[in-house]
Amino acid sequence: MTEQPVGPTEWLTMPDVAERLDIPVNRVHQLVRERKFLAVRKDGVLRVPADFISDDGVVKHLPGVLTVLHDAGYNDDEALRWLYTPDDTLPGTPAEALRGNRATEVKRRAQALGF
């Protein structure tokens, strides 16, 4: 990683995520507990980076990457920082790469953090 984290450009509240996924809000909270995606408190409100939710649901490889990061000792804030730190060799951020065709490379890099 070569630069400072940039962070998500758009955040969703839990009700926003529920609406996009067409599920009840309590199910959204359960998905966060299951580490399908992560949420952080901003200005007292639990929010999810909009990048984590696609038209088809939760970004496909995100839960696996979050599990690997958690197993490597990362907490949610550290995982979010890692996902949004630009990397010239990807290029872009791991969060952007997950939405593209570079998810395997992101998972490989996350796995390397544990060693």
Side-chain angles (χ1 to χ4, degrees):
M1 302 293 168
T2 56
E3 299 176 34
Q4 292 296 317
V6 292
T9 56
E10 182 184 354
W11 293 90
L12 302 172
T13 63
M14 301 306 258
D16 293 336
V17 174
E19 184 177 322
R20 285 200 183 182
L21 296 177
D22 195 28
I23 59 175
V25 173
N26 63 340
R27 178 73 177 121
V28 174
H29 287 278
Q30 182 179 350
L31 292 173
V32 170
R33 285 190 302 275
E34 294 172 354
R35 294 192 189 282
K36 301 299 183 196
F37 54 88
L38 54 84
V40 294
R41 229 167 253 293
K42 294 189 65 58
D43 302 322
V45 177
L46 206 52
R47 299 178 191 269
V48 175
D51 299 330
F52 292 173
I53 309 299
S54 72
D55 293 339
D56 299 322
V58 176
V59 170
K60 184 177 179 182
H61 297 283
L62 179 64
V65 169
L66 291 175
T67 297
V68 169
L69 291 172
H70 176 71
D71 290 349
Y74 281 55
N75 64 33
D76 287 349
D77 289 331
E78 292 166 335
L80 188 67
R81 190 175 314 114
W82 184 83
L83 285 165
Y84 284 96
T85 299
D87 186 333
D88 294 337
T89 63
L90 273 174
T93 66
E96 292 167 338
L98 282 175
R99 292 182 68 91
N101 59 357
R102 298 168 293 176
T104 302
E105 179 61 18
V106 173
K107 284 197 283 188
R108 186 192 66 71
R109 291 174 189 216
Q111 288 170 337
L113 296 173
F115 298 101

